[in-house]
Amino acid sequence: GEGQEGRFSESWFYAGQQLEQVAVCKYLGIEVHAVGGLKGSHTAVTAAANKAMWAMLRQVKDVEILSVLTRVRLFNSLVMPVLQYGCEIWSTEFIRQPGSPLDNPAQRVQSTFLRQIIGDRLPKSIFLKMLMAEFGCRPVSWQWCKLVCRYWNRLLVQSTYPYLCDAFRAGLQLACGPGNGQVRCRAWSSDVLCMLSYCDPGYVAEIRAAVAAQRWESLTVVDIARVMEKWEQAWWVWPGHSGDPRLGQGVEQTYTSWMLSDVSVAAK
C-alpha cells in the first residue's frame, strides 16, 4: 500500500535489486494505479475519445458532410475503437449489470455525439434509448460485453502462457469462493461472472462446479450469441414496461425492431 506521505509500506526485490515503485504507470496505454487498480483507465480512454469525437465533428463540418448516416458511420469507425481500447481488461465493472448499460462515464461520449448531430430534428429532452434507436446505435458497453466474452473464451483455452493460465484460474477460485452460491463481485473474474449470472446462469453453475472440483479440463467456453441476446433483452427494458418490448405493441416495439434490424448501422 501507499503511505500518507506517498511512501509505500512494502518493498519488492528482484535479483537482489529493489524495484522502483510508482503510484501510477501505463502499460500499452492502459493506466494502472498502485491502489485503485484499473479505475483510472476509463478516464484516460474517455478523454481520448472526446478529443477524437470533436476532431471528427470539426472535419465533418469543414468538408460539409450533411448525411447523418455517414456521420454515425464515421463515429463508429473513428471514435468507437478508442472507447473499446483495452476494454477486455478495464471495462468489466461497467458491464456486470446488463440492465444498466448506460451507467458508465464513457457512454457520455456517444450520447453527446448523437445530441450534437440531431440538431433541431428531435427535442433535446428525448429519452436516450429512443435517441439511440433513431440512429440505429447500441450502447458503448454492448461491444465491451462482446469483447470481454471473447477474451474470456481465449483465456479458457489458451495454453501458451502458463502464468496467465494460473492467474486466470486463481481469479476464478476467488470469484467462486464460499458465498451461498452467489458470485462475489470484487475482481475481474467476479465481474464477468456477475454479468454471466444474468445472461447464462446455467453456464455459471457449470463453472462453479468445475472450479470447486478443480476439474479445469471440463471448463467450456461461453456461448457469446446467447449472452448477447440476453444482454439485449436487458437493455431493451423500458421504464414502466414489464416484459420484452419486442412482443408488445406501440412505440417500444417499433424502436426495438429498428434497433435489431439488419440494416442497423451499429457495429455488429
CSV table of all heavy atoms in Angstrom, one decimal, residues 197-248:
chain,number,residue,atom,x,y,z
A,197,SER,N,-24.1,-14.4,-14.8
A,197,SER,CA,-25.1,-14.9,-13.9
A,197,SER,C,-26.5,-14.5,-14.4
A,197,SER,O,-27.5,-15.2,-14.2
A,197,SER,CB,-24.9,-14.5,-12.5
A,197,SER,OG,-23.7,-15.1,-12.0
A,198,TYR,N,-26.6,-13.3,-15.0
A,198,TYR,CA,-27.8,-12.8,-15.5
A,198,TYR,C,-28.1,-13.4,-16.9
A,198,TYR,O,-29.2,-13.8,-17.2
A,198,TYR,CB,-27.8,-11.3,-15.6
A,198,TYR,CG,-29.1,-10.7,-16.2
A,198,TYR,CD1,-30.1,-10.3,-15.3
A,198,TYR,CD2,-29.3,-10.6,-17.5
A,198,TYR,CE1,-31.3,-9.8,-15.9
A,198,TYR,CE2,-30.5,-10.1,-18.1
A,198,TYR,CZ,-31.5,-9.7,-17.2
A,198,TYR,OH,-32.6,-9.2,-17.7
A,199,CYS,N,-27.1,-13.4,-17.7
A,199,CYS,CA,-27.2,-13.8,-19.1
A,199,CYS,C,-27.3,-15.3,-19.4
A,199,CYS,O,-27.9,-15.8,-20.3
A,199,CYS,CB,-26.1,-13.2,-20.0
A,199,CYS,SG,-26.2,-11.4,-20.0
A,200,ASP,N,-26.5,-16.1,-18.6
A,200,ASP,CA,-26.5,-17.5,-18.7
A,200,ASP,C,-26.2,-18.2,-17.4
A,200,ASP,O,-25.1,-18.7,-17.2
A,200,ASP,CB,-25.4,-17.9,-19.8
A,200,ASP,CG,-25.5,-19.3,-20.3
A,200,ASP,OD1,-26.3,-20.1,-19.7
A,200,ASP,OD2,-24.9,-19.6,-21.3
A,201,PRO,N,-27.2,-18.2,-16.5
A,201,PRO,CA,-26.9,-18.8,-15.2
A,201,PRO,C,-26.5,-20.2,-15.2
A,201,PRO,O,-25.8,-20.6,-14.3
A,201,PRO,CB,-28.3,-18.6,-14.5
A,201,PRO,CG,-29.3,-18.4,-15.6
A,201,PRO,CD,-28.6,-17.7,-16.7
A,202,GLY,N,-27.0,-21.0,-16.1
A,202,GLY,CA,-26.6,-22.4,-16.2
A,202,GLY,C,-25.1,-22.6,-16.5
A,202,GLY,O,-24.5,-23.4,-15.9
A,203,TYR,N,-24.6,-21.7,-17.3
A,203,TYR,CA,-23.2,-21.7,-17.6
A,203,TYR,C,-22.4,-21.4,-16.3
A,203,TYR,O,-21.3,-22.1,-16.0
A,203,TYR,CB,-22.8,-20.8,-18.7
A,203,TYR,CG,-21.4,-20.6,-19.0
A,203,TYR,CD1,-20.7,-21.6,-19.7
A,203,TYR,CD2,-20.6,-19.5,-18.5
A,203,TYR,CE1,-19.3,-21.5,-19.9
A,203,TYR,CE2,-19.3,-19.4,-18.8
A,203,TYR,CZ,-18.6,-20.4,-19.5
A,203,TYR,OH,-17.3,-20.3,-19.8
A,204,VAL,N,-22.8,-20.4,-15.6
A,204,VAL,CA,-22.1,-20.0,-14.3
A,204,VAL,C,-22.1,-21.2,-13.3
A,204,VAL,O,-21.1,-21.5,-12.6
A,204,VAL,CB,-22.7,-18.8,-13.7
A,204,VAL,CG1,-22.1,-18.4,-12.4
A,204,VAL,CG2,-22.5,-17.6,-14.7
A,205,ALA,N,-23.2,-21.9,-13.3
A,205,ALA,CA,-23.3,-23.1,-12.4
A,205,ALA,C,-22.3,-24.1,-12.7
A,205,ALA,O,-21.7,-24.8,-11.9
A,205,ALA,CB,-24.7,-23.6,-12.4
A,206,GLU,N,-22.1,-24.3,-14.0
A,206,GLU,CA,-21.1,-25.3,-14.5
A,206,GLU,C,-19.7,-24.8,-14.2
A,206,GLU,O,-18.9,-25.7,-13.8
A,206,GLU,CB,-21.3,-25.5,-16.0
A,206,GLU,CG,-22.6,-26.1,-16.5
A,206,GLU,CD,-22.7,-26.2,-18.0
A,206,GLU,OE1,-21.7,-25.8,-18.7
A,206,GLU,OE2,-23.7,-26.6,-18.5
A,207,ILE,N,-19.5,-23.6,-14.3
A,207,ILE,CA,-18.1,-23.0,-14.0
A,207,ILE,C,-17.9,-23.2,-12.5
A,207,ILE,O,-16.8,-23.7,-12.1
A,207,ILE,CB,-18.1,-21.5,-14.3
A,207,ILE,CG1,-18.1,-21.3,-15.9
A,207,ILE,CG2,-16.8,-20.9,-13.7
A,207,ILE,CD1,-16.8,-21.8,-16.5
A,208,ARG,N,-18.8,-22.9,-11.7
A,208,ARG,CA,-18.7,-23.0,-10.2
A,208,ARG,C,-18.4,-24.5,-9.8
A,208,ARG,O,-17.5,-24.7,-9.0
A,208,ARG,CB,-19.9,-22.5,-9.5
A,208,ARG,CG,-20.1,-21.0,-9.6
A,208,ARG,CD,-21.3,-20.5,-8.8
A,208,ARG,NE,-21.2,-20.9,-7.4
A,208,ARG,CZ,-20.6,-20.1,-6.5
A,208,ARG,NH1,-20.1,-18.9,-6.9
A,208,ARG,NH2,-20.5,-20.4,-5.2
A,209,ALA,N,-19.1,-25.4,-10.4
A,209,ALA,CA,-18.9,-26.8,-10.1
A,209,ALA,C,-17.5,-27.3,-10.5
A,209,ALA,O,-16.9,-28.0,-9.8
A,209,ALA,CB,-20.0,-27.6,-10.8
A,210,ALA,N,-17.1,-26.9,-11.7
A,210,ALA,CA,-15.8,-27.3,-12.2
A,210,ALA,C,-14.7,-26.7,-11.3
A,210,ALA,O,-13.7,-27.4,-11.0
A,210,ALA,CB,-15.6,-26.8,-13.6
A,211,VAL,N,-14.8,-25.5,-10.9
A,211,VAL,CA,-13.8,-24.8,-10.1
A,211,VAL,C,-13.7,-25.5,-8.7
A,211,VAL,O,-12.7,-25.7,-8.2
A,211,VAL,CB,-14.0,-23.3,-10.0
A,211,VAL,CG1,-13.1,-22.7,-8.9
A,211,VAL,CG2,-13.9,-22.6,-11.3
A,212,ALA,N,-14.9,-25.8,-8.1
A,212,ALA,CA,-15.0,-26.4,-6.8
A,212,ALA,C,-14.3,-27.7,-6.8
A,212,ALA,O,-13.6,-28.1,-5.8
A,212,ALA,CB,-16.4,-26.5,-6.3
A,213,ALA,N,-14.4,-28.5,-7.9
A,213,ALA,CA,-13.9,-29.8,-8.0
A,213,ALA,C,-12.5,-29.8,-8.6
A,213,ALA,O,-11.9,-30.9,-8.8
A,213,ALA,CB,-14.8,-30.7,-8.8
A,214,GLN,N,-12.0,-28.6,-9.0
A,214,GLN,CA,-10.7,-28.5,-9.6
A,214,GLN,C,-10.6,-29.2,-10.9
A,214,GLN,O,-9.5,-29.8,-11.3
A,214,GLN,CB,-9.5,-28.9,-8.7
A,214,GLN,CG,-9.4,-28.1,-7.4
A,214,GLN,CD,-8.9,-26.7,-7.6
A,214,GLN,OE1,-7.7,-26.5,-7.9
A,214,GLN,NE2,-9.8,-25.7,-7.5
A,215,ARG,N,-11.7,-29.3,-11.6
A,215,ARG,CA,-11.7,-30.0,-12.9
A,215,ARG,C,-11.5,-29.0,-14.0
A,215,ARG,O,-12.4,-28.6,-14.8
A,215,ARG,CB,-13.0,-30.8,-13.1
A,215,ARG,CG,-13.3,-31.9,-12.1
A,215,ARG,CD,-14.4,-32.8,-12.6
A,215,ARG,NE,-15.6,-32.0,-13.0
A,215,ARG,CZ,-16.6,-31.7,-12.2
A,215,ARG,NH1,-16.6,-32.1,-10.9
A,215,ARG,NH2,-17.6,-31.0,-12.7
A,216,TRP,N,-10.3,-28.4,-14.1
A,216,TRP,CA,-10.0,-27.4,-15.1
A,216,TRP,C,-10.3,-27.8,-16.5
A,216,TRP,O,-10.6,-27.0,-17.4
A,216,TRP,CB,-8.6,-26.9,-14.9
A,216,TRP,CG,-8.3,-26.4,-13.5
A,216,TRP,CD1,-7.5,-27.0,-12.6
A,216,TRP,CD2,-8.9,-25.2,-12.9
A,216,TRP,NE1,-7.5,-26.3,-11.4
A,216,TRP,CE2,-8.3,-25.2,-11.6
A,216,TRP,CE3,-9.8,-24.3,-13.3
A,216,TRP,CZ2,-8.7,-24.2,-10.6
A,216,TRP,CZ3,-10.1,-23.3,-12.4
A,216,TRP,CH2,-9.6,-23.2,-11.1
A,217,GLU,N,-10.0,-29.1,-16.8
A,217,GLU,CA,-10.2,-29.6,-18.2
A,217,GLU,C,-11.6,-29.6,-18.6
A,217,GLU,O,-11.9,-29.6,-19.8
A,217,GLU,CB,-9.6,-31.0,-18.3
A,217,GLU,CG,-10.4,-32.1,-17.6
A,217,GLU,CD,-10.2,-32.1,-16.1
A,217,GLU,OE1,-9.3,-31.4,-15.6
A,217,GLU,OE2,-10.9,-32.9,-15.4
A,218,SER,N,-12.6,-29.5,-17.7
A,218,SER,CA,-14.0,-29.5,-18.0
A,218,SER,C,-14.6,-28.1,-18.3
A,218,SER,O,-15.8,-28.0,-18.6
A,218,SER,CB,-14.8,-30.2,-16.9
A,218,SER,OG,-14.8,-29.4,-15.7
A,219,LEU,N,-13.8,-27.1,-18.1
A,219,LEU,CA,-14.3,-25.7,-18.3
A,219,LEU,C,-14.6,-25.6,-19.8
A,219,LEU,O,-13.7,-25.9,-20.7
A,219,LEU,CB,-13.2,-24.7,-17.9
A,219,LEU,CG,-13.0,-24.6,-16.4
A,219,LEU,CD1,-11.9,-23.6,-16.1
A,219,LEU,CD2,-14.2,-24.2,-15.6
A,220,THR,N,-15.7,-25.0,-20.1
A,220,THR,CA,-16.1,-24.8,-21.5
A,220,THR,C,-16.3,-23.3,-21.8
A,220,THR,O,-16.5,-22.5,-20.9
A,220,THR,CB,-17.4,-25.6,-21.8
A,220,THR,OG1,-18.5,-25.1,-21.0
A,220,THR,CG2,-17.3,-27.1,-21.6
A,221,VAL,N,-16.2,-23.0,-23.1
A,221,VAL,CA,-16.3,-21.6,-23.5
A,221,VAL,C,-17.8,-21.2,-23.4
A,221,VAL,O,-18.7,-22.0,-23.5
A,221,VAL,CB,-15.8,-21.4,-24.9
A,221,VAL,CG1,-14.3,-21.7,-25.0
A,221,VAL,CG2,-16.6,-22.2,-25.9
A,222,VAL,N,-18.0,-19.9,-23.2
A,222,VAL,CA,-19.3,-19.3,-23.1
A,222,VAL,C,-20.0,-19.2,-24.5
A,222,VAL,O,-19.2,-18.9,-25.5
A,222,VAL,CB,-19.3,-18.0,-22.3
A,222,VAL,CG1,-18.6,-16.9,-23.1
A,222,VAL,CG2,-20.7,-17.5,-22.0
A,223,ASP,N,-21.3,-19.3,-24.6
A,223,ASP,CA,-22.0,-19.1,-25.8
A,223,ASP,C,-22.2,-17.6,-26.0
A,223,ASP,O,-23.2,-17.1,-25.4
A,223,ASP,CB,-23.3,-19.9,-25.8
A,223,ASP,CG,-24.1,-19.8,-27.1
A,223,ASP,OD1,-23.8,-18.9,-27.9
A,223,ASP,OD2,-25.0,-20.6,-27.3
A,224,ILE,N,-21.4,-17.0,-26.8
A,224,ILE,CA,-21.5,-15.5,-26.9
A,224,ILE,C,-22.8,-15.0,-27.5
A,224,ILE,O,-23.4,-14.0,-27.0
A,224,ILE,CB,-20.3,-15.0,-27.7
A,224,ILE,CG1,-19.0,-15.3,-27.0
A,224,ILE,CG2,-20.4,-13.5,-27.9
A,224,ILE,CD1,-17.7,-14.9,-27.7
A,225,ALA,N,-23.3,-15.8,-28.4
A,225,ALA,CA,-24.6,-15.4,-29.1
A,225,ALA,C,-25.7,-15.4,-28.0
A,225,ALA,O,-26.5,-14.5,-28.0
A,225,ALA,CB,-24.9,-16.3,-30.2
A,226,ARG,N,-25.7,-16.4,-27.2
A,226,ARG,CA,-26.7,-16.4,-26.1
A,226,ARG,C,-26.6,-15.3,-25.1
A,226,ARG,O,-27.6,-14.7,-24.7
A,226,ARG,CB,-26.6,-17.8,-25.4
A,226,ARG,CG,-27.6,-17.9,-24.2
A,226,ARG,CD,-27.4,-19.3,-23.5
A,226,ARG,NE,-28.2,-19.4,-22.3
A,226,ARG,CZ,-29.5,-19.8,-22.3
A,226,ARG,NH1,-30.1,-20.1,-23.5
A,226,ARG,NH2,-30.2,-19.9,-21.2
A,227,VAL,N,-25.4,-15.0,-24.7
A,227,VAL,CA,-25.1,-13.9,-23.8
A,227,VAL,C,-25.6,-12.6,-24.4
A,227,VAL,O,-26.3,-11.8,-23.7
A,227,VAL,CB,-23.6,-13.9,-23.4
A,227,VAL,CG1,-23.3,-12.6,-22.7
A,227,VAL,CG2,-23.2,-15.1,-22.6
A,228,MET,N,-25.2,-12.3,-25.6
A,228,MET,CA,-25.6,-11.1,-26.2
A,228,MET,C,-27.1,-10.9,-26.4
A,228,MET,O,-27.7,-9.8,-26.4
A,228,MET,CB,-24.9,-10.9,-27.6
A,228,MET,CG,-23.3,-10.9,-27.4
A,228,MET,SD,-22.7,-9.9,-26.0
A,228,MET,CE,-23.2,-8.2,-26.5
A,229,GLU,N,-27.8,-12.0,-26.7
A,229,GLU,CA,-29.2,-12.0,-26.8
A,229,GLU,C,-29.9,-11.6,-25.5
A,229,GLU,O,-30.8,-10.8,-25.4
A,229,GLU,CB,-29.8,-13.4,-27.3
A,229,GLU,CG,-31.3,-13.4,-27.4
A,229,GLU,CD,-31.8,-14.8,-27.8
A,229,GLU,OE1,-31.0,-15.7,-27.9
A,229,GLU,OE2,-33.1,-14.9,-27.9
A,230,LYS,N,-29.4,-12.2,-24.4
A,230,LYS,CA,-29.9,-11.9,-23.1
A,230,LYS,C,-29.6,-10.5,-22.7
A,230,LYS,O,-30.4,-9.7,-22.1
A,230,LYS,CB,-29.4,-12.9,-22.0
A,230,LYS,CG,-29.9,-14.3,-22.2
A,230,LYS,CD,-31.4,-14.4,-21.9
A,230,LYS,CE,-31.9,-15.8,-21.9
A,230,LYS,NZ,-33.3,-15.9,-21.6
A,231,TRP,N,-28.4,-10.0,-23.0
A,231,TRP,CA,-27.9,-8.7,-22.8
A,231,TRP,C,-28.8,-7.7,-23.5
A,231,TRP,O,-29.2,-6.7,-22.9
A,231,TRP,CB,-26.5,-8.5,-23.2
A,231,TRP,CG,-25.8,-7.2,-22.8
A,231,TRP,CD1,-24.9,-7.1,-21.7
A,231,TRP,CD2,-25.9,-5.9,-23.4
A,231,TRP,NE1,-24.5,-5.8,-21.6
A,231,TRP,CE2,-25.1,-5.0,-22.6
A,231,TRP,CE3,-26.6,-5.4,-24.4
A,231,TRP,CZ2,-25.0,-3.7,-22.9
A,231,TRP,CZ3,-26.5,-4.1,-24.8
A,231,TRP,CH2,-25.7,-3.2,-24.0
A,232,GLU,N,-29.2,-8.0,-24.7
A,232,GLU,CA,-30.1,-7.1,-25.4
A,232,GLU,C,-31.4,-7.0,-24.8
A,232,GLU,O,-32.1,-5.9,-24.8
A,232,GLU,CB,-30.1,-7.5,-26.9
A,232,GLU,CG,-30.8,-6.5,-27.8
A,232,GLU,CD,-30.0,-6.2,-29.0
A,232,GLU,OE1,-29.5,-7.1,-29.6
A,232,GLU,OE2,-29.9,-5.0,-29.4
A,233,GLN,N,-31.9,-8.1,-24.4
A,233,GLN,CA,-33.2,-8.1,-23.7
A,233,GLN,C,-33.2,-7.2,-22.4
A,233,GLN,O,-34.2,-6.5,-22.2
A,233,GLN,CB,-33.7,-9.5,-23.3
A,233,GLN,CG,-34.0,-10.4,-24.5
A,233,GLN,CD,-34.3,-11.8,-24.1
A,233,GLN,OE1,-34.4,-12.2,-23.0
A,233,GLN,NE2,-34.4,-12.7,-25.1
A,234,ALA,N,-32.1,-7.3,-21.7
A,234,ALA,CA,-32.0,-6.5,-20.5
A,234,ALA,C,-31.9,-5.0,-20.9
A,234,ALA,O,-32.5,-4.1,-20.2
A,234,ALA,CB,-30.7,-6.9,-19.7
A,235,TRP,N,-31.2,-4.7,-22.0
A,235,TRP,CA,-31.0,-3.3,-22.4
A,235,TRP,C,-32.3,-2.7,-22.9
A,235,TRP,O,-32.6,-1.6,-22.6
A,235,TRP,CB,-30.0,-3.3,-23.5
A,235,TRP,CG,-30.2,-2.2,-24.6
A,235,TRP,CD1,-30.4,-2.5,-25.9
A,235,TRP,CD2,-30.1,-0.8,-24.5
A,235,TRP,NE1,-30.4,-1.3,-26.6
A,235,TRP,CE2,-30.3,-0.3,-25.8
A,235,TRP,CE3,-29.9,0.0,-23.4
A,235,TRP,CZ2,-30.3,1.1,-26.0
A,235,TRP,CZ3,-29.9,1.4,-23.6
A,235,TRP,CH2,-30.1,1.9,-24.9
A,236,TRP,N,-33.2,-3.5,-23.5
A,236,TRP,CA,-34.4,-3.0,-24.0
A,236,TRP,C,-35.6,-3.1,-23.1
A,236,TRP,O,-36.7,-3.2,-23.5
A,236,TRP,CB,-34.8,-3.7,-25.3
A,236,TRP,CG,-34.1,-3.1,-26.5
A,236,TRP,CD1,-33.1,-3.5,-27.2
A,236,TRP,CD2,-34.4,-1.8,-27.0
A,236,TRP,NE1,-32.7,-2.6,-28.2
A,236,TRP,CE2,-33.5,-1.5,-28.0
A,236,TRP,CE3,-35.3,-0.8,-26.7
A,236,TRP,CZ2,-33.5,-0.3,-28.8
A,236,TRP,CZ3,-35.3,0.4,-27.4
A,236,TRP,CH2,-34.4,0.6,-28.4
A,237,VAL,N,-35.3,-3.1,-21.8
A,237,VAL,CA,-36.4,-3.0,-20.8
A,237,VAL,C,-36.7,-1.5,-20.6
A,237,VAL,O,-35.8,-0.7,-20.2
A,237,VAL,CB,-36.0,-3.6,-19.4
A,237,VAL,CG1,-37.1,-3.2,-18.4
A,237,VAL,CG2,-35.9,-5.1,-19.6
A,238,TRP,N,-37.9,-1.1,-21.0
A,238,TRP,CA,-38.2,0.4,-20.9
A,238,TRP,C,-38.9,0.7,-19.6
A,238,TRP,O,-39.5,-0.2,-19.0
A,238,TRP,CB,-39.2,0.7,-22.1
A,238,TRP,CG,-38.6,0.6,-23.4
A,238,TRP,CD1,-38.3,-0.6,-24.0
A,238,TRP,CD2,-38.2,1.6,-24.2
A,238,TRP,NE1,-37.7,-0.3,-25.2
A,238,TRP,CE2,-37.6,1.0,-25.4
A,238,TRP,CE3,-38.2,3.0,-24.2
A,238,TRP,CZ2,-37.1,1.8,-26.4
A,238,TRP,CZ3,-37.7,3.8,-25.2
A,238,TRP,CH2,-37.2,3.2,-26.3
A,239,PRO,N,-38.8,1.9,-19.1
A,239,PRO,CA,-39.5,2.3,-17.9
A,239,PRO,C,-41.0,2.0,-17.9
A,239,PRO,O,-41.7,2.4,-18.9
A,239,PRO,CB,-39.2,3.8,-17.8
A,239,PRO,CG,-38.0,4.0,-18.6
A,239,PRO,CD,-38.0,3.0,-19.7
A,240,GLY,N,-41.5,1.3,-16.9
A,240,GLY,CA,-42.9,1.0,-16.9
A,240,GLY,C,-43.3,-0.2,-17.7
A,240,GLY,O,-44.4,-0.6,-17.8
A,241,HIS,N,-42.3,-0.8,-18.4
A,241,HIS,CA,-42.6,-2.0,-19.3
A,241,HIS,C,-42.2,-3.2,-18.6
A,241,HIS,O,-41.0,-3.4,-18.3
A,241,HIS,CB,-41.9,-1.8,-20.6
A,241,HIS,CG,-42.5,-2.6,-21.7
A,241,HIS,ND1,-42.5,-4.0,-21.7
A,241,HIS,CD2,-43.1,-2.3,-22.9
A,241,HIS,CE1,-43.1,-4.5,-22.8
A,241,HIS,NE2,-43.5,-3.4,-23.5
A,242,SER,N,-43.1,-4.1,-18.3
A,242,SER,CA,-42.8,-5.3,-17.5
A,242,SER,C,-42.3,-6.5,-18.3
A,242,SER,O,-41.7,-7.4,-17.8
A,242,SER,CB,-44.1,-5.8,-16.8
A,242,SER,OG,-45.1,-6.1,-17.7
A,243,GLY,N,-42.4,-6.5,-19.6
A,243,GLY,CA,-42.0,-7.6,-20.4
A,243,GLY,C,-41.0,-7.2,-21.6
A,243,GLY,O,-40.6,-6.1,-21.6
A,244,ASP,N,-40.8,-8.2,-22.4
A,244,ASP,CA,-39.9,-7.9,-23.6
A,244,ASP,C,-40.7,-7.0,-24.6
A,244,ASP,O,-41.7,-7.4,-25.1
A,244,ASP,CB,-39.6,-9.3,-24.3
A,244,ASP,CG,-38.5,-9.1,-25.3
A,244,ASP,OD1,-38.4,-8.0,-25.9
A,244,ASP,OD2,-37.9,-10.1,-25.7
A,245,PRO,N,-40.1,-5.8,-24.9
A,245,PRO,CA,-40.9,-4.9,-25.8
A,245,PRO,C,-41.0,-5.4,-27.2
A,245,PRO,O,-41.9,-4.9,-27.9
A,245,PRO,CB,-40.0,-3.6,-25.7
A,245,PRO,CG,-38.6,-4.1,-25.3
A,245,PRO,CD,-38.9,-5.3,-24.4
A,246,ARG,N,-40.2,-6.4,-27.6
A,246,ARG,CA,-40.4,-7.0,-28.9
A,246,ARG,C,-41.7,-7.7,-29.1
A,246,ARG,O,-42.1,-7.9,-30.2
A,246,ARG,CB,-39.2,-7.9,-29.2
A,246,ARG,CG,-37.8,-7.2,-29.3
A,246,ARG,CD,-36.7,-8.1,-29.5
A,246,ARG,NE,-36.5,-9.0,-28.3
A,246,ARG,CZ,-35.6,-9.9,-28.2
A,246,ARG,NH1,-34.7,-10.1,-29.2
A,246,ARG,NH2,-35.5,-10.6,-27.1
A,247,LEU,N,-42.3,-8.1,-28.0
A,247,LEU,CA,-43.5,-8.9,-28.0
A,247,LEU,C,-44.7,-8.0,-27.9
A,247,LEU,O,-45.9,-8.5,-27.9
A,247,LEU,CB,-43.5,-10.0,-26.9
A,247,LEU,CG,-42.3,-10.9,-27.0
A,247,LEU,CD1,-42.4,-11.9,-25.8
A,247,LEU,CD2,-42.2,-11.6,-28.3
A,248,GLY,N,-44.5,-6.7,-27.6
A,248,GLY,CA,-45.7,-5.9,-27.3
A,248,GLY,C,-46.1,-5.1,-28.6
A,248,GLY,O,-45.8,-5.4,-29.7
